[in-house]
Amino acid sequence: MKQQNHAIKIQASLLACDMGKIQEEISATDPFVNGIHFDVMDGQFVPNLSFGAPVLQHLSTTSELGFDVHLMCENPDILLESFVKAGAQAISVHFEACPNIHRTLQVIKNYNVLAGVVLNPGTSYHAAYEAIKFADYVLVMSVNPGFGGQQFLPEVLEKIRKIRKNFPDKIIQIDGGINTKTAPLAIKAGANWLVAGSAIFNTDDRATICNRLRNTI
Ligand code: DX5
Ligand code: ZN
């Protein structure tokens, strides 16, 4: 079990793909990644808008891999059911956006979907300790949420080390600025699910970039 949780998985963030041919982009990437990361932005919690459940519904038949949904939204509770119905296999909600985080995670789990809690760069590991205990996975943001293509914040590595030390079996996902330079740092600190947008979609050679992100070559 421990081994399985620590297996490195690469998840492609669709934010950076060519939106004009999103299905082709997924098909061209699917063979080299372990999952597709679906970033939902509401223009309130973050100063940007992206896509919602009807888009996921349309795409979830395209990928043979699972979609993990990252809800960068105020009051994510009202969205959970629609994303489950649209085909999400994992859903993460921001610690900062959930006054009843334990209940929200429980609702996600009750749908038989993996429940994740997300920590912004400014959110302390200590504040979120109880929520992490209850979540299936913790997503540590390595940029401020809202935009792809930002620079990795190395300060979050210390937070990952602390989580890994206290939760040896927890899935730790990292998101933002992951590339061939930062992926090894994240893995060394204890992250095992790596989200990458620009690094994957800004190159035509998806096989090489994904292998390098996994640190295998
Ligand atoms: C940021 C999103 C990320 C983003 C990652 O708000 O949650 O998933 O798309 O993009 P890159 O890999 O370009 O930093
Ligand atoms: Zn994300």
Side-chain angles (χ1 to χ4, degrees):
M1 194 59 176
K2 200 169 189 171
Q3 280 297 331
Q4 200 177 7
N5 277 357
H6 285 199
I8 304 300
K9 292 191 174 181
I10 306 295
Q11 293 145 327
S13 163
L14 292 181
L15 267 192
C17 82
D18 182 342
M19 298 290 179
K21 45 175 190 172
I22 192 162
Q23 277 174 315
E24 291 97 309
E25 288 279 66
I26 293 174
S27 302
T29 310
D30 242 25
F32 312 114
V33 296
N34 305 98
I36 304 291
H37 182 82
F38 194 82
D39 284 307
V40 181
M41 302 178 180
D42 68 349
Q44 295 289 322
F45 182 71
V46 291
N48 201 0
L49 287 165
S50 59
F51 17 54
V55 177
L56 178 64
Q57 173 97 53
H58 186 66
L59 296 176
S60 59
T61 52
T62 302
S63 175
E64 304 211 340
L65 305 166
F67 279 77
D68 82 282
V69 173
H70 174 191
L71 292 178
M72 287 163 272
C73 305
E74 296 289 356
N75 194 14
D77 303 63
I78 58 167
L79 299 169
L80 299 176
E81 188 182 358
S82 60
F83 278 100
V84 171
K85 284 186 175 159
Q89 296 193 348
I91 298 178
S92 60
V93 293
H94 272 259
F95 179 74
E96 307 83 9
C98 297
N100 293 299
I101 185 77
H102 186 278
R103 178 187 294 154
T104 302
L105 294 171
Q106 184 62 61
V107 170
I108 299 171
K109 286 181 176 188
N110 287 348
Y111 284 119
N112 270 329
V113 165
L114 290 179
V117 60
V118 192
L119 275 55
N120 271 340
T123 299
S124 146
Y125 149 77
H126 297 285
Y129 182 83
E130 297 300 326
I132 295 170
K133 257 202 308 203
F134 194 69
D136 293 311
Y137 63 104
V138 52
L139 165 49
V140 176
M141 289 305 298
S142 39
V143 297
N144 285 301
F147 303 92
Q150 301 181 78
Q151 209 172 350
F152 183 83
L153 298 169
E155 293 83 359
V156 306
L157 292 170
E158 181 59 27
K159 183 156 52 184
I160 293 176
R161 280 192 283 272
K162 283 183 192 158
I163 298 171
R164 177 55 69 221
K165 189 169 170 225
N166 284 278
F167 298 94
D169 295 329
K170 191 72 66 181
I171 295 168
I172 303 179
Q173 187 178 42
I174 185 165
D175 183 11
I178 294 295
N179 55 37
T180 53
K181 286 200 177 73
T182 56
L185 303 176
I187 292 169
K188 197 170 167 217
N192 55 315
W193 283 7
L194 274 60
V195 175
S198 320
I200 290 176
F201 289 105
N202 289 354
T203 173
D204 288 331
D205 188 355
R206 307 266 158 96
T208 301
I209 189 69
C210 292
N211 280 337
R212 289 187 66 200
L213 288 173
R214 270 191 202 91
N215 216 13
T216 52
I217 55 172

